[in-house]
Amino acid sequence: MSAPLQLQVADVQERIDRIVHQLQHLKSDRNEDGIPIGIISMENWEWPQGVALFSLYLYYKESGKPELLDFLTSWFDRHLAAGTVPEKNINTMCPMLTLSFLVEETGREDFRELCLEWLDYAMNELPRTEEGGFQHIVSGRTNEGELWDDTLYMTVLFTARMGVLLGRDDCVQESVRQFLVHLKYLTDPVTGLFFHGWSFADKSYYAGALWGRGNAWYTAGLVDYLDIVDLPLGVKQFLLGSLERQAKTLSALQADSGLWHTLLTDPTTYEETSATAAFAYGILKAVRLGYLPEIYAAVGWKAAQGVMGQIDENGTVQGVSYGTGLGRDLDYYRGIPVCPMPYGQSMTLLMLVECLKHRS
Protein backbone atom coordinates (compact mmCIF):
# COMPACT_ATOMS: atom_id res chain seq x y z
CA MET A 1 0.00 0.00 0.00
CA SER A 2 1.34 3.43 -0.90
CA ALA A 3 0.44 6.87 0.37
CA PRO A 4 -1.42 9.35 -1.83
CA LEU A 5 0.74 11.63 -3.94
CA GLN A 6 -0.16 14.65 -1.80
CA LEU A 7 1.42 13.04 1.25
CA GLN A 8 4.34 11.48 -0.60
CA VAL A 9 5.62 14.83 -1.88
CA ALA A 10 4.89 16.82 1.30
CA ASP A 11 7.69 17.46 3.76
CA VAL A 12 6.01 15.48 6.49
CA GLN A 13 9.07 15.50 8.73
CA GLU A 14 9.14 19.29 8.77
CA ARG A 15 5.52 19.32 9.87
CA ILE A 16 6.34 16.82 12.60
CA ASP A 17 9.20 18.97 13.89
CA ARG A 18 6.98 22.05 14.05
CA ILE A 19 4.17 20.17 15.76
CA VAL A 20 6.55 18.73 18.37
CA HIS A 21 8.02 22.17 19.09
CA GLN A 22 4.57 23.70 19.55
CA LEU A 23 3.45 20.80 21.68
CA GLN A 24 6.36 21.16 24.08
CA HIS A 25 5.76 24.89 24.50
CA LEU A 26 1.97 25.03 24.43
CA LYS A 27 0.54 27.68 26.78
CA SER A 28 -2.99 28.74 27.64
CA ASP A 29 -4.19 31.88 25.87
CA ARG A 30 -7.81 31.54 27.01
CA ASN A 31 -9.61 32.34 30.24
CA GLU A 32 -10.05 29.14 32.25
CA ASP A 33 -11.81 30.80 35.18
CA GLY A 34 -14.09 28.40 36.99
CA ILE A 35 -12.31 25.32 35.67
CA PRO A 36 -10.64 23.39 38.51
CA ILE A 37 -7.72 22.24 36.40
CA GLY A 38 -5.43 23.72 33.79
CA ILE A 39 -5.72 21.59 30.70
CA ILE A 40 -3.89 23.56 28.01
CA SER A 41 -0.38 24.38 29.22
CA MET A 42 2.17 21.56 29.07
CA GLU A 43 3.38 22.68 32.49
CA ASN A 44 0.28 21.19 34.14
CA TRP A 45 -0.43 17.57 35.08
CA GLU A 46 -3.74 16.39 33.64
CA TRP A 47 -5.13 14.19 30.91
CA PRO A 48 -4.29 16.44 27.92
CA GLN A 49 -0.68 16.51 29.02
CA GLY A 50 -0.78 12.75 29.56
CA VAL A 51 -1.95 12.16 26.00
CA ALA A 52 0.78 14.50 24.77
CA LEU A 53 3.52 12.82 26.77
CA PHE A 54 2.59 9.40 25.42
CA SER A 55 2.68 10.64 21.83
CA LEU A 56 6.12 12.14 22.43
CA TYR A 57 7.30 8.86 23.92
CA LEU A 58 6.05 6.87 20.93
CA TYR A 59 7.77 9.35 18.63
CA TYR A 60 10.96 9.03 20.68
CA LYS A 61 10.87 5.26 20.13
CA GLU A 62 10.49 5.81 16.41
CA SER A 63 13.06 8.58 16.02
CA GLY A 64 15.56 7.80 18.75
CA LYS A 65 15.97 11.53 19.41
CA PRO A 66 17.55 11.84 22.89
CA GLU A 67 16.15 15.34 23.41
CA LEU A 68 12.65 13.85 23.52
CA LEU A 69 13.63 11.47 26.30
CA ASP A 70 15.23 14.42 28.12
CA PHE A 71 12.01 16.42 27.80
CA LEU A 72 9.92 13.55 29.17
CA THR A 73 12.12 12.81 32.16
CA SER A 74 12.50 16.51 32.93
CA TRP A 75 8.72 16.97 32.85
CA PHE A 76 8.25 14.39 35.59
CA ASP A 77 11.30 15.60 37.52
CA ARG A 78 9.89 19.13 37.71
CA HIS A 79 6.62 17.90 39.17
CA LEU A 80 8.32 15.60 41.65
CA ALA A 81 10.69 18.32 42.79
CA ALA A 82 7.94 20.93 43.10
CA GLY A 83 5.49 18.60 44.84
CA THR A 84 2.85 19.24 42.16
CA VAL A 85 1.86 15.63 41.50
CA PRO A 86 -1.96 15.92 41.76
CA GLU A 87 -4.55 13.86 43.54
CA LYS A 88 -5.30 10.57 41.84
CA ASN A 89 -8.28 10.12 39.54
CA ILE A 90 -9.09 8.76 36.11
CA ASN A 91 -7.72 11.74 34.19
CA THR A 92 -4.67 12.59 36.28
CA MET A 93 -3.56 8.98 35.82
CA CYS A 94 -3.01 9.50 32.09
CA PRO A 95 0.63 10.73 32.42
CA MET A 96 1.48 7.55 34.31
CA LEU A 97 1.32 5.50 31.11
CA THR A 98 4.39 7.31 29.82
CA LEU A 99 6.12 7.08 33.19
CA SER A 100 5.71 3.30 33.14
CA PHE A 101 7.77 3.21 29.95
CA LEU A 102 10.33 5.62 31.40
CA VAL A 103 10.88 3.13 34.22
CA GLU A 104 12.42 0.80 31.64
CA GLU A 105 14.19 3.57 29.75
CA THR A 106 15.89 5.03 32.81
CA GLY A 107 15.88 2.29 35.45
CA ARG A 108 14.89 4.90 38.01
CA GLU A 109 13.48 3.53 41.24
CA ASP A 110 11.58 6.73 42.10
CA PHE A 111 9.69 6.45 38.82
CA ARG A 112 8.92 2.81 39.55
CA GLU A 113 7.67 3.56 43.06
CA LEU A 114 5.35 6.28 41.80
CA CYS A 115 3.92 3.90 39.19
CA LEU A 116 3.32 1.26 41.86
CA GLU A 117 1.54 3.79 44.05
CA TRP A 118 -0.81 4.85 41.26
CA LEU A 119 -1.39 1.26 40.15
CA ASP A 120 -2.46 0.36 43.68
CA TYR A 121 -4.99 3.19 43.53
CA ALA A 122 -6.37 1.95 40.21
CA MET A 123 -6.67 -1.64 41.36
CA ASN A 124 -7.78 -1.17 44.97
CA GLU A 125 -9.04 2.36 45.66
CA LEU A 126 -10.54 3.78 42.49
CA PRO A 127 -14.34 3.97 42.85
CA ARG A 128 -16.24 1.38 40.83
CA THR A 129 -19.59 1.31 39.10
CA GLU A 130 -21.85 -1.69 38.97
CA GLU A 131 -20.13 -4.67 37.32
CA GLY A 132 -16.75 -3.33 38.46
CA GLY A 133 -16.27 -0.58 35.89
CA PHE A 134 -13.84 2.22 36.68
CA GLN A 135 -15.98 5.18 37.78
CA HIS A 136 -14.96 8.24 35.79
CA ILE A 137 -13.93 10.32 38.77
CA VAL A 138 -12.06 13.48 37.69
CA SER A 139 -10.65 16.63 39.25
CA GLY A 140 -13.53 18.44 40.91
CA ARG A 141 -16.23 15.82 40.13
CA THR A 142 -16.86 12.29 41.38
CA ASN A 143 -19.33 11.33 38.59
CA GLU A 144 -20.83 8.62 40.77
CA GLY A 145 -21.91 5.53 38.86
CA GLU A 146 -20.71 6.87 35.50
CA LEU A 147 -18.81 5.06 32.75
CA TRP A 148 -17.14 7.29 30.11
CA ASP A 149 -15.44 6.17 26.92
CA ASP A 150 -12.47 8.41 27.82
CA THR A 151 -11.55 6.07 30.69
CA LEU A 152 -10.12 3.38 28.43
CA TYR A 153 -7.37 5.68 27.19
CA MET A 154 -6.79 7.63 30.40
CA THR A 155 -6.50 4.79 32.92
CA VAL A 156 -7.00 1.33 31.42
CA LEU A 157 -3.95 1.49 29.15
CA PHE A 158 -1.78 2.26 32.18
CA THR A 159 -3.29 -0.62 34.14
CA ALA A 160 -2.53 -3.02 31.29
CA ARG A 161 0.97 -1.67 30.80
CA MET A 162 1.81 -2.10 34.49
CA GLY A 163 0.57 -5.67 34.33
CA VAL A 164 3.07 -6.36 31.56
CA LEU A 165 5.88 -4.44 33.27
CA LEU A 166 5.42 -6.27 36.57
CA GLY A 167 4.36 -9.65 35.20
CA ARG A 168 1.00 -9.25 36.96
CA ASP A 169 -1.74 -11.04 35.08
CA ASP A 170 -4.37 -9.63 37.46
CA CYS A 171 -3.71 -6.16 36.04
CA VAL A 172 -3.94 -7.40 32.45
CA GLN A 173 -7.19 -9.21 33.21
CA GLU A 174 -8.54 -6.07 34.88
CA SER A 175 -7.84 -4.14 31.69
CA VAL A 176 -9.75 -6.77 29.72
CA ARG A 177 -12.71 -6.46 32.06
CA GLN A 178 -12.72 -2.69 31.72
CA PHE A 179 -12.79 -2.85 27.92
CA LEU A 180 -15.62 -5.37 27.97
CA VAL A 181 -17.71 -3.54 30.58
CA HIS A 182 -17.29 -0.21 28.81
CA LEU A 183 -18.19 -1.65 25.42
CA LYS A 184 -21.19 -3.45 26.90
CA TYR A 185 -22.74 -0.24 28.19
CA LEU A 186 -21.42 2.38 25.74
CA THR A 187 -21.91 0.70 22.36
CA ASP A 188 -24.82 2.00 20.32
CA PRO A 189 -26.27 -1.17 18.75
CA VAL A 190 -27.73 0.80 15.84
CA THR A 191 -24.51 2.43 14.59
CA GLY A 192 -21.69 0.57 16.33
CA LEU A 193 -20.40 3.91 17.59
CA PHE A 194 -19.95 4.66 21.27
CA PHE A 195 -21.98 6.90 23.53
CA HIS A 196 -19.92 9.36 25.54
CA GLY A 197 -21.12 7.97 28.85
CA TRP A 198 -23.59 5.86 30.78
CA SER A 199 -24.93 6.49 34.29
CA PHE A 200 -25.87 3.51 36.43
CA ALA A 201 -27.37 5.96 38.92
CA ASP A 202 -29.76 7.59 36.42
CA LYS A 203 -29.97 4.65 34.00
CA SER A 204 -29.27 7.16 31.25
CA TYR A 205 -26.92 8.10 28.42
CA TYR A 206 -27.80 11.71 29.25
CA ALA A 207 -27.62 13.49 25.87
CA GLY A 208 -27.01 10.22 24.04
CA ALA A 209 -24.05 11.89 22.37
CA LEU A 210 -22.10 9.97 19.76
CA TRP A 211 -19.21 12.31 20.39
CA GLY A 212 -16.30 12.35 17.97
CA ARG A 213 -13.30 12.50 20.26
CA GLY A 214 -14.80 10.03 22.71
CA ASN A 215 -15.13 7.53 19.88
CA ALA A 216 -11.60 8.34 18.78
CA TRP A 217 -10.19 7.35 22.17
CA TYR A 218 -11.27 3.82 21.29
CA THR A 219 -9.91 3.87 17.74
CA ALA A 220 -6.50 5.22 18.71
CA GLY A 221 -6.39 3.54 22.10
CA LEU A 222 -7.19 0.04 20.91
CA VAL A 223 -4.31 -0.20 18.43
CA ASP A 224 -1.90 0.91 21.17
CA TYR A 225 -3.53 -1.39 23.73
CA LEU A 226 -2.86 -4.31 21.41
CA ASP A 227 0.79 -3.23 21.25
CA ILE A 228 0.94 -3.39 25.05
CA VAL A 229 -0.79 -6.69 25.85
CA ASP A 230 -1.08 -10.16 24.37
CA LEU A 231 -4.79 -10.90 24.60
CA PRO A 232 -6.68 -14.18 24.32
CA LEU A 233 -7.79 -14.62 20.72
CA GLY A 234 -11.49 -14.41 21.51
CA VAL A 235 -11.10 -11.11 23.36
CA LYS A 236 -8.93 -9.69 20.59
CA GLN A 237 -11.46 -10.72 17.95
CA PHE A 238 -14.26 -9.11 19.96
CA LEU A 239 -12.42 -5.79 20.30
CA LEU A 240 -11.40 -5.75 16.65
CA GLY A 241 -14.94 -6.57 15.60
CA SER A 242 -16.10 -3.48 17.46
CA LEU A 243 -13.36 -1.48 15.74
CA GLU A 244 -14.40 -2.63 12.28
CA ARG A 245 -18.07 -1.85 12.90
CA GLN A 246 -17.07 1.59 14.14
CA ALA A 247 -14.86 2.14 11.08
CA LYS A 248 -17.65 1.10 8.73
CA THR A 249 -19.98 3.71 10.20
CA LEU A 250 -17.25 6.34 10.26
CA SER A 251 -16.59 5.82 6.56
CA ALA A 252 -20.23 6.71 5.84
CA LEU A 253 -20.16 9.80 8.07
CA GLN A 254 -16.87 11.34 6.90
CA ALA A 255 -17.27 14.86 5.53
CA ASP A 256 -15.97 15.86 2.10
CA SER A 257 -13.10 17.64 3.86
CA GLY A 258 -11.94 14.32 5.33
CA LEU A 259 -12.83 15.43 8.85
CA TRP A 260 -15.62 14.24 11.12
CA HIS A 261 -18.13 16.36 12.99
CA THR A 262 -17.87 16.80 16.75
CA LEU A 263 -21.20 14.94 17.02
CA LEU A 264 -20.57 12.21 14.50
CA THR A 265 -24.13 11.79 13.27
CA ASP A 266 -24.98 15.52 13.24
CA PRO A 267 -23.55 17.29 10.17
CA THR A 268 -24.66 20.66 11.55
CA THR A 269 -21.98 20.47 14.27
CA TYR A 270 -18.51 21.76 13.51
CA GLU A 271 -15.81 19.56 12.05
CA GLU A 272 -13.23 18.65 14.68
CA THR A 273 -9.53 17.99 14.12
CA SER A 274 -8.34 16.05 17.17
CA ALA A 275 -10.90 13.29 16.72
CA THR A 276 -10.15 13.11 13.02
CA ALA A 277 -6.41 12.81 13.66
CA ALA A 278 -7.00 10.02 16.17
CA PHE A 279 -9.35 8.22 13.77
CA ALA A 280 -6.77 8.54 10.98
CA TYR A 281 -4.00 7.23 13.22
CA GLY A 282 -6.03 4.31 14.51
CA ILE A 283 -7.47 3.32 11.14
CA LEU A 284 -4.18 3.55 9.23
CA LYS A 285 -2.30 1.64 11.92
CA ALA A 286 -5.03 -1.00 12.05
CA VAL A 287 -4.85 -1.46 8.28
CA ARG A 288 -1.04 -1.72 8.37
CA LEU A 289 -1.18 -4.36 11.11
CA GLY A 290 -3.95 -6.34 9.42
CA TYR A 291 -6.59 -5.49 12.02
CA LEU A 292 -8.82 -3.80 9.42
CA PRO A 293 -9.36 -4.64 5.75
CA GLU A 294 -7.43 -2.66 3.17
CA ILE A 295 -10.57 -0.86 2.01
CA TYR A 296 -10.40 1.38 5.09
CA ALA A 297 -7.01 2.79 4.09
CA ALA A 298 -8.75 5.29 1.82
CA VAL A 299 -10.78 6.55 4.79
CA GLY A 300 -7.62 7.01 6.82
CA TRP A 301 -5.77 8.83 4.06
CA LYS A 302 -8.68 11.17 3.39
CA ALA A 303 -8.75 12.01 7.09
CA ALA A 304 -5.00 12.55 7.19
CA GLN A 305 -5.15 14.97 4.29
CA GLY A 306 -7.94 16.88 6.01
CA VAL A 307 -5.93 17.15 9.22
CA MET A 308 -2.84 18.33 7.37
CA GLY A 309 -4.89 21.25 6.13
CA GLN A 310 -5.48 22.24 9.77
CA ILE A 311 -1.76 22.61 10.61
CA ASP A 312 -0.75 26.27 10.46
CA GLU A 313 2.66 27.60 9.50
CA ASN A 314 3.82 27.57 13.12
CA GLY A 315 2.92 23.93 13.58
CA THR A 316 -0.20 24.60 15.64
CA VAL A 317 -3.12 22.27 14.94
CA GLN A 318 -6.31 24.27 14.52
CA GLY A 319 -9.96 23.23 14.77
CA VAL A 320 -9.59 21.35 18.06
CA SER A 321 -12.43 21.30 20.57
CA TYR A 322 -11.74 22.15 24.19
CA GLY A 323 -12.08 19.66 27.05
CA THR A 324 -15.55 18.14 27.07
CA GLY A 325 -17.38 16.62 30.01
CA LEU A 326 -20.41 14.37 29.79
CA GLY A 327 -23.22 16.62 28.56
CA ARG A 328 -26.90 16.35 29.45
CA ASP A 329 -28.04 17.81 26.12
CA LEU A 330 -26.61 17.91 22.63
CA ASP A 331 -26.36 21.70 22.59
CA TYR A 332 -23.64 21.37 25.20
CA TYR A 333 -21.45 19.58 22.63
CA ARG A 334 -22.36 22.03 19.91
CA GLY A 335 -21.16 24.89 22.10
CA ILE A 336 -17.75 23.54 23.13
CA PRO A 337 -15.19 26.20 22.12
CA VAL A 338 -12.34 25.55 19.71
CA CYS A 339 -8.69 26.26 20.54
CA PRO A 340 -5.27 24.57 20.24
CA MET A 341 -4.88 21.76 22.76
CA PRO A 342 -2.10 19.26 23.61
CA TYR A 343 -4.16 16.30 22.38
CA GLY A 344 -4.72 18.00 19.02
CA GLN A 345 -0.98 18.32 18.61
CA SER A 346 -0.25 14.82 19.88
CA MET A 347 -2.82 12.91 17.83
CA THR A 348 -1.69 14.76 14.72
CA LEU A 349 1.90 13.82 15.55
CA LEU A 350 1.00 10.13 15.82
CA MET A 351 -0.98 10.35 12.60
CA LEU A 352 1.92 11.87 10.66
CA VAL A 353 4.39 9.30 11.98
CA GLU A 354 1.98 6.57 10.89
CA CYS A 355 1.79 8.20 7.48
CA LEU A 356 5.59 7.96 7.21
CA LYS A 357 5.41 4.25 7.95
CA HIS A 358 3.00 3.76 5.08
CA ARG A 359 5.20 5.81 2.77
CA SER A 360 8.14 3.51 3.48
Side-chain angles (χ1 to χ4, degrees):
M1 177 176 57
S2 61
L5 179 62
Q6 294 93 322
L7 290 181
Q8 289 178 322
V9 300
D11 190 351
V12 178
Q13 187 60 54
E14 181 182 359
R15 292 173 186 260
I16 289 174
D17 292 341
R18 285 187 277 133
I19 285 171
V20 168
H21 176 79
Q22 289 296 94
L23 175 55
Q24 291 173 324
H25 298 90
L26 201 60
K27 302 287 186 182
S28 176
D29 61 356
R30 59 176 278 117
N31 183 354
E32 295 186 79
D33 288 346
I35 297 174
I37 54 174
I39 64 171
I40 297 180
S41 172
M42 277 303 295
E43 291 304 309
N44 296 321
W45 179 310
E46 257 293 341
W47 66 271
Q49 293 78 27
V51 175
L53 293 169
F54 187 50
S55 72
L56 289 173
Y57 174 75
L58 292 180
Y59 182 46
Y60 159 71
K61 295 301 290 184
E62 288 293 328
S63 67
K65 294 182 177 182
E67 63 269 24
L68 293 175
L69 183 61
D70 291 343
F71 175 85
L72 294 170
T73 55
S74 295
W75 190 91
F76 285 99
D77 282 340
R78 287 196 301 275
H79 284 282
L80 290 172
T84 53
V85 178
E87 291 186 1
K88 301 176 184 68
N89 60 51
I90 290 290
N91 284 345
T92 56
M93 196 171 296
C94 191
M96 301 305 297
L97 176 60
T98 299
L99 191 64
S100 71
F101 286 99
L102 295 183
V103 169
E104 287 188 323
E105 294 287 342
T106 67
R108 286 181 47 173
E109 189 61 27
D110 57 338
F111 284 1
R112 179 183 175 88
E113 288 300 317
L114 192 62
C115 285
L116 289 172
E117 177 186 327
W118 284 64
L119 176 64
D120 182 67
Y121 170 79
M123 294 291 289
N124 301 312
E125 300 178 34
L126 182 64
R128 302 288 182 119
T129 69
E130 295 180 35
E131 299 192 33
F134 285 162
Q135 179 176 308
H136 195 84
I137 179 174
V138 300
S139 302
R141 287 186 59 184
T142 59
N143 298 320
E144 185 175 354
E146 292 181 7
L147 294 174
W148 293 23
D149 49 16
D150 317 49
T151 300
L152 296 175
Y153 201 99
M154 306 309 162
T155 291
V156 178
L157 293 187
F158 168 69
T159 305
R161 163 62 187 159
M162 287 301 293
V164 173
L165 179 65
L166 301 174
R168 284 184 52 177
D169 188 58
D170 62 322
C171 299
V172 174
Q173 296 307 319
E174 184 63 66
S175 74
V176 171
R177 172 164 71 159
Q178 293 305 319
F179 265 88
L180 297 182
V181 169
H182 280 74
L183 264 62
K184 175 180 178 179
Y185 284 98
L186 298 182
T187 301
D188 172 23
V190 176
T191 64
L193 301 175
F194 306 114
F195 293 112
H196 187 182
W198 163 259
S199 169
F200 281 100
D202 293 347
K203 302 295 188 291
S204 172
Y205 292 110
Y206 293 158
L210 299 172
W211 175 49
R213 192 164 61 241
N215 272 263
W217 292 133
Y218 183 77
T219 320
L222 178 62
V223 291
D224 291 335
Y225 179 58
L226 295 179
D227 283 345
I228 293 171
V229 296
D230 185 16
L231 295 175
L233 179 60
V235 174
K236 185 175 181 179
Q237 289 174 328
F238 176 81
L239 297 178
L240 290 176
S242 295
L243 177 66
E244 184 167 358
R245 184 143 190 253
Q246 182 199 43
K248 181 179 180 180
T249 301
L250 288 173
S251 67
L253 296 174
Q254 191 172 28
D256 291 341
S257 64
L259 277 67
W260 281 274
H261 296 272
T262 194
L263 291 174
L264 292 170
T265 57
D266 184 355
T268 69
T269 59
Y270 59 80
E271 296 175 2
E272 206 279 323
T273 309
S274 68
T276 301
F279 285 140
Y281 167 67
I283 290 171
L284 288 173
K285 183 172 179 177
V287 170
R288 177 172 60 84
L289 295 176
Y291 297 155
L292 285 177
E294 183 80 16
I295 58 172
Y296 291 104
V299 178
W301 286 121
K302 184 177 180 180
Q305 290 174 283
V307 171
M308 289 183 72
Q310 296 295 312
I311 306 170
D312 70 20
E313 61 183 10
N314 296 317
T316 302
V317 179
Q318 303 293 337
V320 176
S321 66
Y322 192 63
T324 306
L326 181 58
R328 292 182 175 270
D329 60 74
L330 295 178
D331 282 342
Y332 166 79
Y333 295 88
R334 297 183 180 104
I336 295 295
V338 174
C339 63
M341 296 295 293
Y343 45 81
Q345 299 291 123
S346 58
M347 285 301 165
T348 301
L349 168 63
L350 293 181
M351 180 199 79
L352 290 175
V353 172
E354 183 62 31
C355 288
L356 289 178
K357 291 182 180 181
H358 284 264
R359 286 175 61 202
S360 64

